[in-house]
Amino acid sequence: MKKNMILISAITLTLIGCGSSTNGHSNKEYIKDIAIPPTTNSYKPDDGRLLASACYGCHGTNGVSVTKWDSIAGEDELYKEMHEKKGIMEIQAKGYTKIEIAAMENFLKRLPKAEKEEKDDEHEKEKDDD
Amino acid sequence: MKRRDFFKFLGISAIATSIPAAAKTIKPKVVIIGGGYGGRTVAKYLKIWAGDSVDVTLIDKDKYFTSPILSNLVLNGQKNINELRFDYSKTRSKYKINFINKTASFIDKKNKRVFFDNKNFINYDKLVLATGIDFIKTNNYDFNKVPHAWIAGEQTLLLKRKIDNLHNGDTFVLTIPKAPYRCPPGPYERACVVADYLKNKKHLHVNVVVLDENDDILVEKESFQKAFDRYGIEYKSNAKVTHVDDSHLIVTYEQQGVSKHLKAALLNVIPNQKAAPIVINSHLTDSSNFAPVDLRSYESTIAKDIYIVGDSHKSTQPKAGHIANVEAKICADAILRSLNGYELYPKPKTNSACYSPLSSSTATWLTAVYEYDEGSKSMKKVSGGAGKESSKNYKEMFNWTGNLFFDTFG
Ligand SMILES: Cc1cc2nc3c(=O)[nH]c(=O)nc-3n(C[C@H](O)[C@H](O)[C@H](O)COP(=O)(O)OP(=O)(O)OC[C@H]3O[C@@H](n4cnc5c(N)ncnc54)[C@H](O)[C@@H]3O)c2cc1C
């Protein structure tokens, strides 16, 4: 599985200007190399994969974050992770059953862990958001 | 490339009369209209989950999509609009999704075709409409004189220019449509961001008036009320806009049966909303003006093999981009289950997240989880909450959008 991973240079979020395109603004923060599993040539349903995909809006496609927020690819302690966070995550955690979380974890843990990045204000995030 | 070659290149027969019977493709063809939050995500996840076994074509009238999310920050100069624009190059090259840069004009449901004009069409096995919203105007007035800026892009830039032209003593009026409309906290957020900009950045005394057709602040009431008080925003509830005079910039509204007028230097009317024109014209909506769907798949309850995700569909879920991205994945998976002969996933869940800037350095958030309820066939909120205004939330907002933009457009 890991071997078949293809490294795809992620996201262009290409800047299309009207006239000059850069204006000194850059989307560099989002430009990273992200591994995305190869596209298969057949479809097999996977309930855990479907449920887990609802996390990607905040944690990145296939659980690989491109911001300071946590990656969840390779996560094998999902229930604990979900329940020890405050803020948005605390409310999200309340919305899922143990069975659903187990199904999500069963999918996520098989994905290769994303490289840990230096996350400067990561600790701040653990604290209450309010 | 000539138009005909272009269609050939996509493997599409361009001329209605020239389709040979044997041209039926083996791979199922999924066609998606709309490359915003919903449509782009459906296309991407069909490919991630089924690869070459499915042929995916995305149609959008624009060369790039401008995100309404964060667009209020263009108004106060915190974001450049270029940072919110996403073209189709990655969608095409990375995921092998065909892209047609045209307006879809009508759907032939019987023959399963989407027409661009009287002649040119594309066939589909499954069709997804992720076409966003359209406006219900009170009367015929010019959006160039009274911008909505509720579909981001030129309208956002126009409103920004008009805000930058305001002077001391002017009145800025923003009107909030009747729910359901796109992004429940969005208008309250805009009032705050603009008031803060005028007061604290431009050092102007501009009267900011909010006319809300709803009977109260719909979401995050405490936070918005506090900010309104701080900025001295005049908030009027139950104020239904009945007429817009675009040459004198006078808005007429009705409050408790009394008709009143307000003259402004700048009018930002956010009109009431309905599903996009192609959804309405294809008779896929009901009396709500939005499209009823089976919420396990987003397939229309009116027409088979047509799916509607995002702001155009009818449900209890908010009309918002984050949740459109989640609905899109449920839809993509349901389409693949259907094409491959599997049962639908019976109890899908969606979630919504939304950060609202209240100034150039503070924000709140709002989040919820929804679950499919078999009994009522609707999405029930099973968890929800909001976070208070803070500068930390302002920074977190970009961690959120970074991943949401990536998961949708990258
Ligand atoms: C100021 C503001 C702030 C917001 N903030 C948030 C937020 O914090 N969080 C959040 O979740 N949501 C937010 N939203 C809401 C969010 O932007 C929308 O809900 C979301 O864009 C809806 O996605 P969609 O796919 O339904 O439609 P859209 O994203 O609008 O995409 C529709 C696409 O369809 C195309 N199209 C339509 N008809 C046709 C046709 N006939 N042929 C070809 N192409 C067609 C359009 O060109 C467009 O690209 C905000 C909105 C605004 C205005």
Side-chain angles (χ1 to χ4, degrees), chain A residues 12 14 16 23 25 40-41 43 47 53-54 57-58 61 65-67 69 91-92 95 100 129, chain B residues 44-45 51-52 80 83 85 87 90 329 333 337 349 351 367 383 392 396 399 402-404 407:
Chain A
T12 331
T14 312
I16 303 174
N23 303 5
H25 284 259
T40 53
N41 286 324
Y43 170 81
D47 296 350
S53 70
C58 290
T61 302
S65 171
V66 295
T67 72
W69 281 5
I91 287 154
Q92 288 296 315
E100 286 167 336
D129 259 318
Chain B
K44 170 172 164 171
Y45 277 85
D52 288 342
N80 184 295
E83 295 174 89
R85 283 178 169 161
D87 77 359
K90 276 287 149 180
K329 290 162 185 165
D333 191 62
R337 282 179 198 238
K349 279 201 164 156
N351 56 47
T367 192
S383 178
K392 182 176 169 292
E396 295 287 15
N399 287 323
N403 276 330
L404 180 63
D407 190 42

mmCIF file of all heavy atoms in Angstrom, chain A residues 12 14 16 23 25 40-41 43 47 53-54 57-58 61 65-67 69 91-92 95 100 129, chain B residues 44-45 51-52 80 83 85 87 90 329 333 337 349 351 367 383 392 396 399 402-404 407:
data_model
loop_
_atom_site.group_PDB
_atom_site.id
_atom_site.type_symbol
_atom_site.label_atom_id
_atom_site.label_comp_id
_atom_site.label_asym_id
_atom_site.label_seq_id
_atom_site.Cartn_x
_atom_site.Cartn_y
_atom_site.Cartn_z
ATOM 1 N N THR A 12 -2.442 23.816 -6.129
ATOM 2 C CA THR A 12 -1.915 24.995 -6.736
ATOM 3 C C THR A 12 -2.684 26.170 -6.220
ATOM 4 O O THR A 12 -2.130 27.201 -5.987
ATOM 5 C CB THR A 12 -2.146 24.939 -8.228
ATOM 6 O OG1 THR A 12 -2.144 23.601 -8.569
ATOM 7 C CG2 THR A 12 -1.110 25.635 -8.951
ATOM 8 N N THR A 14 -4.185 27.882 -7.763
ATOM 9 C CA THR A 14 -3.541 28.758 -8.720
ATOM 10 C C THR A 14 -4.109 30.158 -8.691
ATOM 11 O O THR A 14 -5.294 30.363 -8.586
ATOM 12 C CB THR A 14 -3.720 28.182 -10.126
ATOM 13 O OG1 THR A 14 -3.389 26.826 -10.052
ATOM 14 C CG2 THR A 14 -2.843 28.890 -11.115
ATOM 15 N N ILE A 16 -5.158 33.362 -10.257
ATOM 16 C CA ILE A 16 -5.496 33.949 -11.532
ATOM 17 C C ILE A 16 -5.826 35.390 -11.266
ATOM 18 O O ILE A 16 -6.817 35.677 -10.614
ATOM 19 C CB ILE A 16 -6.713 33.254 -12.139
ATOM 20 C CG1 ILE A 16 -6.409 31.770 -12.257
ATOM 21 C CG2 ILE A 16 -7.044 33.841 -13.487
ATOM 22 C CD1 ILE A 16 -7.582 30.999 -12.714
ATOM 23 N N ASN A 23 0.454 40.471 -6.845
ATOM 24 C CA ASN A 23 0.149 41.520 -5.874
ATOM 25 C C ASN A 23 0.843 41.298 -4.534
ATOM 26 O O ASN A 23 0.370 41.723 -3.502
ATOM 27 C CB ASN A 23 -1.352 41.615 -5.564
ATOM 28 C CG ASN A 23 -2.165 41.839 -6.801
ATOM 29 O OD1 ASN A 23 -1.624 41.833 -7.899
ATOM 30 N ND2 ASN A 23 -3.447 42.047 -6.657
ATOM 31 N N HIS A 25 0.771 38.834 -2.788
ATOM 32 C CA HIS A 25 0.112 37.828 -1.957
ATOM 33 C C HIS A 25 0.508 36.450 -2.451
ATOM 34 O O HIS A 25 0.635 36.227 -3.630
ATOM 35 C CB HIS A 25 -1.413 37.957 -2.059
ATOM 36 C CG HIS A 25 -1.940 39.110 -1.274
ATOM 37 N ND1 HIS A 25 -2.511 38.963 -0.053
ATOM 38 C CD2 HIS A 25 -1.934 40.435 -1.552
ATOM 39 C CE1 HIS A 25 -2.872 40.152 0.403
ATOM 40 N NE2 HIS A 25 -2.534 41.061 -0.495
ATOM 41 N N THR A 40 -7.733 3.879 -7.713
ATOM 42 C CA THR A 40 -7.929 2.470 -8.041
ATOM 43 C C THR A 40 -8.753 2.411 -9.308
ATOM 44 O O THR A 40 -9.266 3.433 -9.759
ATOM 45 C CB THR A 40 -8.715 1.773 -6.923
ATOM 46 O OG1 THR A 40 -9.898 2.539 -6.694
ATOM 47 C CG2 THR A 40 -7.898 1.674 -5.668
ATOM 48 N N ASN A 41 -8.887 1.246 -9.852
ATOM 49 C CA ASN A 41 -9.703 1.160 -11.050
ATOM 50 C C ASN A 41 -11.012 0.447 -10.813
ATOM 51 O O ASN A 41 -11.679 -0.002 -11.730
ATOM 52 C CB ASN A 41 -8.915 0.508 -12.179
ATOM 53 C CG ASN A 41 -7.899 1.496 -12.686
ATOM 54 O OD1 ASN A 41 -8.172 2.688 -12.729
ATOM 55 N ND2 ASN A 41 -6.725 1.014 -13.010
ATOM 56 N N TYR A 43 -14.394 0.259 -7.699
ATOM 57 C CA TYR A 43 -14.955 0.819 -6.475
ATOM 58 C C TYR A 43 -15.424 -0.284 -5.552
ATOM 59 O O TYR A 43 -16.085 -1.227 -5.979
ATOM 60 C CB TYR A 43 -16.149 1.727 -6.813
ATOM 61 C CG TYR A 43 -16.926 2.137 -5.585
ATOM 62 C CD1 TYR A 43 -16.478 3.176 -4.789
ATOM 63 C CD2 TYR A 43 -18.084 1.458 -5.209
ATOM 64 C CE1 TYR A 43 -17.170 3.541 -3.639
ATOM 65 C CE2 TYR A 43 -18.781 1.816 -4.067
ATOM 66 C CZ TYR A 43 -18.316 2.865 -3.279
ATOM 67 O OH TYR A 43 -18.993 3.220 -2.153
ATOM 68 N N ASP A 47 -17.607 1.888 4.621
ATOM 69 C CA ASP A 47 -18.359 2.821 5.468
ATOM 70 C C ASP A 47 -17.418 3.720 6.275
ATOM 71 O O ASP A 47 -17.688 4.897 6.464
ATOM 72 C CB ASP A 47 -19.291 2.061 6.417
ATOM 73 C CG ASP A 47 -20.363 1.278 5.668
ATOM 74 O OD1 ASP A 47 -20.498 1.477 4.438
ATOM 75 O OD2 ASP A 47 -21.062 0.454 6.297
ATOM 76 N N SER A 53 -14.279 10.704 5.679
ATOM 77 C CA SER A 53 -14.115 11.782 4.695
ATOM 78 C C SER A 53 -14.753 13.090 5.175
ATOM 79 O O SER A 53 -14.389 14.166 4.711
ATOM 80 C CB SER A 53 -14.671 11.373 3.322
ATOM 81 O OG SER A 53 -16.086 11.292 3.354
ATOM 82 N N ALA A 54 -15.672 13.002 6.135
ATOM 83 C CA ALA A 54 -16.285 14.221 6.688
ATOM 84 C C ALA A 54 -15.286 15.017 7.525
ATOM 85 O O ALA A 54 -15.531 16.168 7.858
ATOM 86 C CB ALA A 54 -17.510 13.861 7.525
ATOM 87 N N GLY A 57 -12.400 18.252 5.604
ATOM 88 C CA GLY A 57 -12.548 19.698 5.434
ATOM 89 C C GLY A 57 -11.659 20.456 6.419
ATOM 90 O O GLY A 57 -11.170 21.538 6.117
ATOM 91 N N CYS A 58 -11.455 19.868 7.604
ATOM 92 C CA CYS A 58 -10.580 20.491 8.610
ATOM 93 C C CYS A 58 -9.208 19.827 8.692
ATOM 94 O O CYS A 58 -8.243 20.457 9.128
ATOM 95 C CB CYS A 58 -11.223 20.415 9.998
ATOM 96 S SG CYS A 58 -12.670 21.473 10.195
ATOM 97 N N THR A 61 -7.360 16.318 2.812
ATOM 98 C CA THR A 61 -7.735 15.144 2.027
ATOM 99 C C THR A 61 -7.005 13.906 2.522
ATOM 100 O O THR A 61 -5.789 13.935 2.716
ATOM 101 C CB THR A 61 -7.403 15.382 0.536
ATOM 102 O OG1 THR A 61 -8.105 16.548 0.107
ATOM 103 C CG2 THR A 61 -7.842 14.200 -0.322
ATOM 104 N N SER A 65 -3.118 16.995 6.665
ATOM 105 C CA SER A 65 -3.357 18.435 6.826
ATOM 106 C C SER A 65 -2.286 19.252 6.120
ATOM 107 O O SER A 65 -1.111 18.898 6.121
ATOM 108 C CB SER A 65 -3.369 18.757 8.323
ATOM 109 O OG SER A 65 -3.380 20.153 8.522
ATOM 110 N N VAL A 66 -2.708 20.357 5.521
ATOM 111 C CA VAL A 66 -1.740 21.275 4.900
ATOM 112 C C VAL A 66 -1.607 22.557 5.735
ATOM 113 O O VAL A 66 -0.991 23.523 5.308
ATOM 114 C CB VAL A 66 -2.112 21.620 3.434
ATOM 115 C CG1 VAL A 66 -2.036 20.390 2.562
ATOM 116 C CG2 VAL A 66 -3.497 22.257 3.332
ATOM 117 N N THR A 67 -2.247 22.571 6.903
ATOM 118 C CA THR A 67 -2.119 23.737 7.798
ATOM 119 C C THR A 67 -1.581 23.246 9.145
ATOM 120 O O THR A 67 -1.189 22.079 9.282
ATOM 121 C CB THR A 67 -3.479 24.433 8.021
ATOM 122 O OG1 THR A 67 -4.300 23.619 8.859
ATOM 123 C CG2 THR A 67 -4.201 24.699 6.709
ATOM 124 N N TRP A 69 -3.190 22.585 11.668
ATOM 125 C CA TRP A 69 -4.086 21.628 12.327
ATOM 126 C C TRP A 69 -3.588 20.202 12.096
ATOM 127 O O TRP A 69 -2.912 19.920 11.105
ATOM 128 C CB TRP A 69 -5.523 21.802 11.804
ATOM 129 C CG TRP A 69 -6.209 22.978 12.449
ATOM 130 C CD1 TRP A 69 -5.657 23.881 13.316
ATOM 131 C CD2 TRP A 69 -7.569 23.374 12.281
ATOM 132 N NE1 TRP A 69 -6.591 24.808 13.698
ATOM 133 C CE2 TRP A 69 -7.776 24.529 13.087
ATOM 134 C CE3 TRP A 69 -8.637 22.871 11.540
ATOM 135 C CZ2 TRP A 69 -9.012 25.179 13.152
ATOM 136 C CZ3 TRP A 69 -9.863 23.524 11.607
ATOM 137 C CH2 TRP A 69 -10.043 24.654 12.421
ATOM 138 N N ILE A 91 -17.215 19.497 20.056
ATOM 139 C CA ILE A 91 -18.601 19.411 19.595
ATOM 140 C C ILE A 91 -18.744 18.357 18.502
ATOM 141 O O ILE A 91 -19.720 17.617 18.446
ATOM 142 C CB ILE A 91 -19.081 20.804 19.131
ATOM 143 C CG1 ILE A 91 -19.288 21.658 20.385
ATOM 144 C CG2 ILE A 91 -20.374 20.727 18.335
ATOM 145 C CD1 ILE A 91 -19.152 23.116 20.168
ATOM 146 N N GLN A 92 -17.748 18.254 17.642
ATOM 147 C CA GLN A 92 -17.765 17.209 16.620
ATOM 148 C C GLN A 92 -17.760 15.826 17.274
ATOM 149 O O GLN A 92 -18.519 14.937 16.885
ATOM 150 C CB GLN A 92 -16.555 17.355 15.684
ATOM 151 C CG GLN A 92 -16.661 18.545 14.736
ATOM 152 C CD GLN A 92 -17.826 18.415 13.771
ATOM 153 O OE1 GLN A 92 -18.045 17.361 13.191
ATOM 154 N NE2 GLN A 92 -18.590 19.482 13.624
ATOM 155 N N GLY A 95 -20.915 14.276 18.325
ATOM 156 C CA GLY A 95 -21.856 13.920 17.272
ATOM 157 C C GLY A 95 -21.666 12.513 16.705
ATOM 158 O O GLY A 95 -22.432 12.087 15.853
ATOM 159 N N GLU A 100 -19.157 4.342 15.097
ATOM 160 C CA GLU A 100 -18.767 5.148 13.923
ATOM 161 C C GLU A 100 -17.287 5.535 14.006
ATOM 162 O O GLU A 100 -16.562 5.480 12.999
ATOM 163 C CB GLU A 100 -19.624 6.421 13.851
ATOM 164 C CG GLU A 100 -21.054 6.148 13.390
ATOM 165 C CD GLU A 100 -21.992 7.329 13.624
ATOM 166 O OE1 GLU A 100 -21.719 8.166 14.516
ATOM 167 O OE2 GLU A 100 -23.001 7.411 12.915
ATOM 168 N N ASP A 129 -11.021 27.000 23.277
ATOM 169 C CA ASP A 129 -11.114 27.996 22.212
ATOM 170 C C ASP A 129 -11.825 29.274 22.639
ATOM 171 O O ASP A 129 -11.681 30.311 22.025
ATOM 172 C CB ASP A 129 -11.892 27.412 21.041
ATOM 173 C CG ASP A 129 -10.957 26.971 19.944
ATOM 174 O OD1 ASP A 129 -9.997 27.704 19.645
ATOM 175 O OD2 ASP A 129 -11.212 25.908 19.388
ATOM 176 N N LYS B 44 -13.812 15.301 -7.501
ATOM 177 C CA LYS B 44 -12.540 14.822 -6.953
ATOM 178 C C LYS B 44 -12.698 13.467 -6.257
ATOM 179 O O LYS B 44 -11.914 12.544 -6.468
ATOM 180 C CB LYS B 44 -12.011 15.878 -5.970
ATOM 181 C CG LYS B 44 -10.818 15.438 -5.141
ATOM 182 C CD LYS B 44 -10.236 16.604 -4.339
ATOM 183 C CE LYS B 44 -9.309 16.090 -3.238
ATOM 184 N NZ LYS B 44 -8.562 17.170 -2.567
ATOM 185 N N TYR B 45 -13.741 13.331 -5.442
ATOM 186 C CA TYR B 45 -13.897 12.086 -4.679
ATOM 187 C C TYR B 45 -14.395 10.924 -5.533
ATOM 188 O O TYR B 45 -14.093 9.765 -5.243
ATOM 189 C CB TYR B 45 -14.722 12.321 -3.404
ATOM 190 C CG TYR B 45 -13.799 12.866 -2.326
ATOM 191 C CD1 TYR B 45 -13.516 14.229 -2.247
ATOM 192 C CD2 TYR B 45 -13.120 12.011 -1.464
ATOM 193 C CE1 TYR B 45 -12.616 14.725 -1.305
ATOM 194 C CE2 TYR B 45 -12.221 12.493 -0.524
ATOM 195 C CZ TYR B 45 -11.973 13.847 -0.440
ATOM 196 O OH TYR B 45 -11.073 14.324 0.485
ATOM 197 N N GLY B 51 -11.385 5.933 -9.401
ATOM 198 C CA GLY B 51 -10.346 6.033 -10.423
ATOM 199 C C GLY B 51 -10.867 5.971 -11.841
ATOM 200 O O GLY B 51 -11.861 6.610 -12.191
ATOM 201 N N ASP B 52 -10.180 5.183 -12.647
ATOM 202 C CA ASP B 52 -10.491 5.135 -14.073
ATOM 203 C C ASP B 52 -11.781 4.390 -14.389
ATOM 204 O O ASP B 52 -12.190 4.335 -15.541
ATOM 205 C CB ASP B 52 -9.339 4.480 -14.839
ATOM 206 C CG ASP B 52 -8.135 5.411 -14.884
ATOM 207 O OD1 ASP B 52 -8.322 6.625 -14.642
ATOM 208 O OD2 ASP B 52 -7.020 4.927 -15.138
ATOM 209 N N ASN B 80 -6.720 39.461 -0.417
ATOM 210 C CA ASN B 80 -6.768 39.851 -1.816
ATOM 211 C C ASN B 80 -7.645 38.813 -2.521
ATOM 212 O O ASN B 80 -7.537 37.611 -2.230
ATOM 213 C CB ASN B 80 -5.355 39.817 -2.377
ATOM 214 C CG ASN B 80 -5.298 40.311 -3.798
ATOM 215 O OD1 ASN B 80 -5.857 39.693 -4.697
ATOM 216 N ND2 ASN B 80 -4.633 41.430 -3.992
ATOM 217 N N GLU B 83 -6.455 35.417 -3.760
ATOM 218 C CA GLU B 83 -6.238 34.304 -2.829
ATOM 219 C C GLU B 83 -7.464 33.416 -2.715
ATOM 220 O O GLU B 83 -7.404 32.345 -2.124
ATOM 221 C CB GLU B 83 -5.897 34.841 -1.439
ATOM 222 C CG GLU B 83 -4.588 35.590 -1.372
ATOM 223 C CD GLU B 83 -4.382 36.217 -0.004
ATOM 224 O OE1 GLU B 83 -3.818 35.543 0.865
ATOM 225 O OE2 GLU B 83 -4.811 37.373 0.191
ATOM 226 N N ARG B 85 -9.381 32.634 -5.443
ATOM 227 C CA ARG B 85 -9.740 32.138 -6.778
ATOM 228 C C ARG B 85 -9.060 30.815 -7.080
ATOM 229 O O ARG B 85 -7.862 30.673 -6.899
ATOM 230 C CB ARG B 85 -9.335 33.175 -7.828
ATOM 231 C CG ARG B 85 -10.307 34.316 -7.859
ATOM 232 C CD ARG B 85 -9.889 35.371 -8.844
ATOM 233 N NE ARG B 85 -10.991 36.300 -9.008
ATOM 234 C CZ ARG B 85 -10.872 37.514 -9.505
ATOM 235 N NH1 ARG B 85 -9.684 37.948 -9.912
ATOM 236 N NH2 ARG B 85 -11.917 38.286 -9.623
ATOM 237 N N ASP B 87 -8.655 27.888 -10.035
ATOM 238 C CA ASP B 87 -8.916 27.489 -11.419
ATOM 239 C C ASP B 87 -9.069 25.961 -11.517
ATOM 240 O O ASP B 87 -9.120 25.280 -10.496
ATOM 241 C CB ASP B 87 -7.839 28.041 -12.362
ATOM 242 C CG ASP B 87 -6.540 27.251 -12.277
ATOM 243 O OD1 ASP B 87 -6.462 26.298 -11.475
ATOM 244 O OD2 ASP B 87 -5.606 27.588 -13.018
ATOM 245 N N LYS B 90 -5.643 21.912 -11.611
ATOM 246 C CA LYS B 90 -5.387 20.730 -10.772
ATOM 247 C C LYS B 90 -6.504 19.706 -10.926
ATOM 248 O O LYS B 90 -6.272 18.511 -10.981
ATOM 249 C CB LYS B 90 -5.296 21.134 -9.303
ATOM 250 C CG LYS B 90 -3.926 21.634 -8.912
ATOM 251 C CD LYS B 90 -2.912 20.520 -8.836
ATOM 252 C CE LYS B 90 -1.559 21.088 -9.200
ATOM 253 N NZ LYS B 90 -0.469 20.164 -9.173
ATOM 254 N N LYS B 329 -19.347 14.382 -0.748
ATOM 255 C CA LYS B 329 -18.689 13.071 -0.589
ATOM 256 C C LYS B 329 -19.744 11.979 -0.431
ATOM 257 O O LYS B 329 -19.594 10.878 -0.957
ATOM 258 C CB LYS B 329 -17.756 13.112 0.612
ATOM 259 C CG LYS B 329 -16.533 13.996 0.366
ATOM 260 C CD LYS B 329 -15.867 14.372 1.663
ATOM 261 C CE LYS B 329 -14.734 15.356 1.429
ATOM 262 N NZ LYS B 329 -14.309 16.007 2.679
ATOM 263 N N ASP B 333 -20.108 8.955 -3.118
ATOM 264 C CA ASP B 333 -20.097 7.565 -2.676
ATOM 265 C C ASP B 333 -21.408 6.862 -3.051
ATOM 266 O O ASP B 333 -21.398 5.700 -3.480
ATOM 267 C CB ASP B 333 -19.872 7.514 -1.156
ATOM 268 C CG ASP B 333 -19.578 6.111 -0.672
ATOM 269 O OD1 ASP B 333 -18.546 5.545 -1.100
ATOM 270 O OD2 ASP B 333 -20.381 5.554 0.104
ATOM 271 N N ARG B 337 -21.927 3.620 -5.331
ATOM 272 C CA ARG B 337 -22.657 2.445 -4.843
ATOM 273 C C ARG B 337 -23.725 2.059 -5.866
ATOM 274 O O ARG B 337 -23.877 0.877 -6.197
ATOM 275 C CB ARG B 337 -23.309 2.731 -3.482
ATOM 276 C CG ARG B 337 -22.291 2.669 -2.338
ATOM 277 C CD ARG B 337 -22.899 2.960 -0.980
ATOM 278 N NE ARG B 337 -21.838 3.305 -0.045
ATOM 279 C CZ ARG B 337 -21.580 2.656 1.098
ATOM 280 N NH1 ARG B 337 -22.316 1.626 1.458
ATOM 281 N NH2 ARG B 337 -20.575 3.022 1.872
ATOM 282 N N LYS B 349 -23.715 10.985 7.897
ATOM 283 C CA LYS B 349 -23.539 12.128 8.797
ATOM 284 C C LYS B 349 -22.848 13.253 8.054
ATOM 285 O O LYS B 349 -21.977 13.015 7.208
ATOM 286 C CB LYS B 349 -22.672 11.703 9.981
ATOM 287 C CG LYS B 349 -23.495 10.983 11.007
ATOM 288 C CD LYS B 349 -22.871 10.990 12.374
ATOM 289 C CE LYS B 349 -23.945 10.608 13.369
ATOM 290 N NZ LYS B 349 -23.423 10.044 14.608
ATOM 291 N N ASN B 351 -21.220 17.425 8.614
ATOM 292 C CA ASN B 351 -20.885 18.436 9.610
ATOM 293 C C ASN B 351 -20.692 19.785 8.958
ATOM 294 O O ASN B 351 -20.448 19.891 7.758
ATOM 295 C CB ASN B 351 -19.663 18.030 10.434
ATOM 296 C CG ASN B 351 -18.456 17.745 9.585
ATOM 297 O OD1 ASN B 351 -18.119 18.508 8.689
ATOM 298 N ND2 ASN B 351 -17.788 16.638 9.849
ATOM 299 N N THR B 367 -20.380 25.446 14.795
ATOM 300 C CA THR B 367 -20.223 24.108 14.216
ATOM 301 C C THR B 367 -21.398 23.206 14.587
ATOM 302 O O THR B 367 -22.090 23.467 15.576
ATOM 303 C CB THR B 367 -18.875 23.469 14.636
ATOM 304 O OG1 THR B 367 -18.622 22.307 13.847
ATOM 305 C CG2 THR B 367 -18.869 23.068 16.111
ATOM 306 N N SER B 383 -25.430 17.421 17.338
ATOM 307 C CA SER B 383 -24.488 18.136 18.191
ATOM 308 C C SER B 383 -24.263 19.514 17.586
ATOM 309 O O SER B 383 -24.310 19.663 16.362
ATOM 310 C CB SER B 383 -23.168 17.349 18.254
ATOM 311 O OG SER B 383 -22.210 18.028 19.027
ATOM 312 N N LYS B 392 -7.467 34.581 18.765
ATOM 313 C CA LYS B 392 -6.982 33.233 18.483
ATOM 314 C C LYS B 392 -7.864 32.568 17.410
ATOM 315 O O LYS B 392 -7.369 31.929 16.486
ATOM 316 C CB LYS B 392 -7.012 32.412 19.762
ATOM 317 C CG LYS B 392 -6.494 31.015 19.581
ATOM 318 C CD LYS B 392 -6.456 30.284 20.914
ATOM 319 C CE LYS B 392 -6.193 28.829 20.689
ATOM 320 N NZ LYS B 392 -7.313 28.177 20.025
ATOM 321 N N GLU B 396 -7.039 30.773 13.833
ATOM 322 C CA GLU B 396 -7.488 29.401 13.550
ATOM 323 C C GLU B 396 -8.325 29.334 12.277
ATOM 324 O O GLU B 396 -8.319 28.337 11.558
ATOM 325 C CB GLU B 396 -8.325 28.856 14.720
ATOM 326 C CG GLU B 396 -7.574 28.691 16.024
ATOM 327 C CD GLU B 396 -6.603 27.526 16.022
ATOM 328 O OE1 GLU B 396 -6.291 26.998 14.937
ATOM 329 O OE2 GLU B 396 -6.139 27.162 17.112
ATOM 330 N N ASN B 399 -6.342 28.190 9.445
ATOM 331 C CA ASN B 399 -6.010 26.756 9.480
ATOM 332 C C ASN B 399 -7.180 25.951 8.926
ATOM 333 O O ASN B 399 -6.995 24.943 8.244
ATOM 334 C CB ASN B 399 -5.704 26.318 10.919
ATOM 335 C CG ASN B 399 -4.363 26.838 11.389
ATOM 336 O OD1 ASN B 399 -3.406 26.902 10.606
ATOM 337 N ND2 ASN B 399 -4.271 27.228 12.643
ATOM 338 N N GLY B 402 -7.528 26.749 5.029
ATOM 339 C CA GLY B 402 -6.409 26.131 4.298
ATOM 340 C C GLY B 402 -6.739 24.688 3.935
ATOM 341 O O GLY B 402 -6.592 24.261 2.792
ATOM 342 N N ASN B 403 -7.244 23.940 4.915
ATOM 343 C CA ASN B 403 -7.577 22.538 4.638
ATOM 344 C C ASN B 403 -8.857 22.389 3.826
ATOM 345 O O ASN B 403 -8.952 21.521 2.964
ATOM 346 C CB ASN B 403 -7.669 21.744 5.954
ATOM 347 C CG ASN B 403 -6.292 21.276 6.420
ATOM 348 O OD1 ASN B 403 -5.400 21.039 5.594
ATOM 349 N ND2 ASN B 403 -6.102 21.164 7.719
ATOM 350 N N LEU B 404 -9.820 23.260 4.085
ATOM 351 C CA LEU B 404 -11.072 23.186 3.310
ATOM 352 C C LEU B 404 -10.815 23.524 1.832
ATOM 353 O O LEU B 404 -11.321 22.839 0.934
ATOM 354 C CB LEU B 404 -12.128 24.125 3.897
ATOM 355 C CG LEU B 404 -13.480 24.126 3.170
ATOM 356 C CD1 LEU B 404 -14.151 22.751 3.250
ATOM 357 C CD2 LEU B 404 -14.413 25.189 3.736
ATOM 358 N N ASP B 407 -8.970 20.532 0.384
ATOM 359 C CA ASP B 407 -9.790 19.339 0.205
ATOM 360 C C ASP B 407 -10.796 19.518 -0.933
ATOM 361 O O ASP B 407 -11.252 18.548 -1.527
ATOM 362 C CB ASP B 407 -10.529 18.997 1.510
ATOM 363 C CG ASP B 407 -11.207 17.634 1.432
ATOM 364 O OD1 ASP B 407 -10.579 16.699 0.906
ATOM 365 O OD2 ASP B 407 -12.366 17.508 1.875
#
